[in-house]
Amino acid sequence: DADVTQTPRNRITKTGKRIMLECSQTKGHDRMYWYRQDPGLGLRLIYYSFDVKDINKGEISDGYSVSRQAQAKFSLSLESAIPNQTALYFCATSDPQTGPNPRYYGYTFGSGTRLTVV
Amino acid sequence: QKEVEQNSGPLSVPEGAIASLNCTYSDRGSQSFFWYRQYSGKSPELIMSIYSNGDKEDGRFTAQLNKASQYVSLLIRDSQPSDSATYLCAVKRFGNEKLTFGTGTRLTIIP
């Protein structure tokens, strides 16, 4: 099984519908992130969470909300989907830096959700 | 000015040659630097990380960091068709665990 699992893999939805994208991880990481990727714009941070009680907005949070149901689960919701939210969405996790010489090892990404809003 | 800048490409390199990918960043507080490879429609995969000035080699990949010039690069030796992908540069600021990504460079290896 994948370390970071996203569901669904693909979704087509209509404008105005509410939709939830789910992410679960077996890495045991505290930090979880939601990004969207658009051609020419790269990966942009939507929301991030450093633990169950800590939720933070990223650079493009408008129109999105999140829920951290448990350490291993982080869901992204589009309350009322619009066509410009059509994108590839990625969940990612990371480990906090600890110790006298901490090294940050980057993110582990899920396989992505391709969302199309029509 | 973007925080992390990459030439979008496409960069075309003959098979067996060296591919050179470049990235500049604007935040002098940046501490850690990463290269991700992303195949079309797939998730980014970490291939190199570098934290100190100089070169770091891993197999056919070499990452180079110059903090004074705010420049990080990735060299791929003996390029293979399977190296054809988009390469994302990512930067982490000291005290901040979020990564900031460049828009990526699309690399095509020509057989």
Side-chain angles (χ1 to χ4, degrees):
Chain A
D1 288 341
D3 292 327
V4 183
T5 302
Q6 290 184 235
T7 56
R9 291 296 305 275
N10 293 281
R11 179 74 181 266
I12 300 173
T13 192
K14 292 184 177 181
T15 298
K17 292 291 187 181
R18 184 179 189 274
I19 183 170
M20 179 182 289
L21 309 183
E22 300 189 351
C23 177
S24 62
Q25 52 114 346
T26 58
K27 301 283 289 184
H29 289 171
D30 288 328
R31 276 62 169 162
M32 298 187 74
Y33 310 82
W34 275 104
Y35 282 84
R36 64 176 281 177
Q37 188 174 39
D38 301 273
L41 296 178
L43 284 160
R44 293 182 292 166
L45 182 62
I46 306 171
Y47 270 95
Y48 61 102
S49 169
F50 283 178
D51 65 42
V52 175
K53 296 182 179 179
D54 178 74
I55 304 289
N56 304 279
K57 292 183 177 181
E59 57 183 304
I60 55 162
S61 58
D62 287 350
Y64 301 94
S65 63
V66 290
S67 173
R68 185 80 183 266
Q69 302 96 323
Q71 188 213 31
K73 295 182 182 295
F74 192 35
S75 300
L76 176 71
S77 293
L78 286 68
E79 299 301 326
S80 179
I82 56 177
N84 76 0
Q85 291 177 312
T86 293
L88 188 54
Y89 289 83
F90 288 106
C91 174
T93 72
S94 71
D95 230 359
Q97 296 185 73
T98 57
N101 293 299
R103 274 289 181 258
Y104 183 76
Y105 296 104
Y107 291 169
T108 301
F109 282 91
S111 53
T113 295
R114 184 168 295 282
L115 176 65
T116 303
V117 183
V118 297
Chain B
Q1 181 186 11
K2 291 182 181 178
E3 291 185 59
V4 181
E5 295 210 50
Q6 298 179 253
N7 188 322
S8 62
L11 175 65
S12 296
V13 173
E15 183 176 356
I18 296 175
S20 177
L21 303 164
N22 304 316
C23 173
T24 58
Y25 60 94
S26 61
D27 187 350
R28 287 196 173 274
S30 299
Q31 176 191 42
S32 307
F33 306 86
F34 305 87
W35 283 100
Y36 285 82
R37 178 178 62 200
Q38 186 178 25
Y39 294 113
S40 181
K42 303 297 184 183
S43 59
E45 172 193 9
L46 181 65
I47 55 172
M48 288 290 287
S49 58
I50 187 166
Y51 310 98
S52 305
N53 278 329
D55 295 0
K56 178 182 177 183
E57 186 174 319
D58 184 0
R60 295 186 297 112
F61 298 99
T62 299
Q64 299 175 316
L65 175 62
N66 183 325
K67 289 186 177 180
S69 300
Q70 296 175 242
Y71 176 94
V72 57
S73 65
L74 179 70
L75 302 178
I76 306 174
R77 291 181 299 281
D78 187 23
S79 296
Q80 303 296 310
S82 60
D83 294 326
S84 297
T86 295
Y87 289 80
L88 305 173
C89 173
V91 171
K92 176 192 171 304
R93 196 181 194 286
F94 178 78
N96 185 337
E97 293 190 30
K98 297 185 273 91
L99 294 182
T100 301
F101 289 85
T103 54
T105 297
R106 186 157 58 93
L107 174 66
T108 300
I109 305 302
I110 304 167

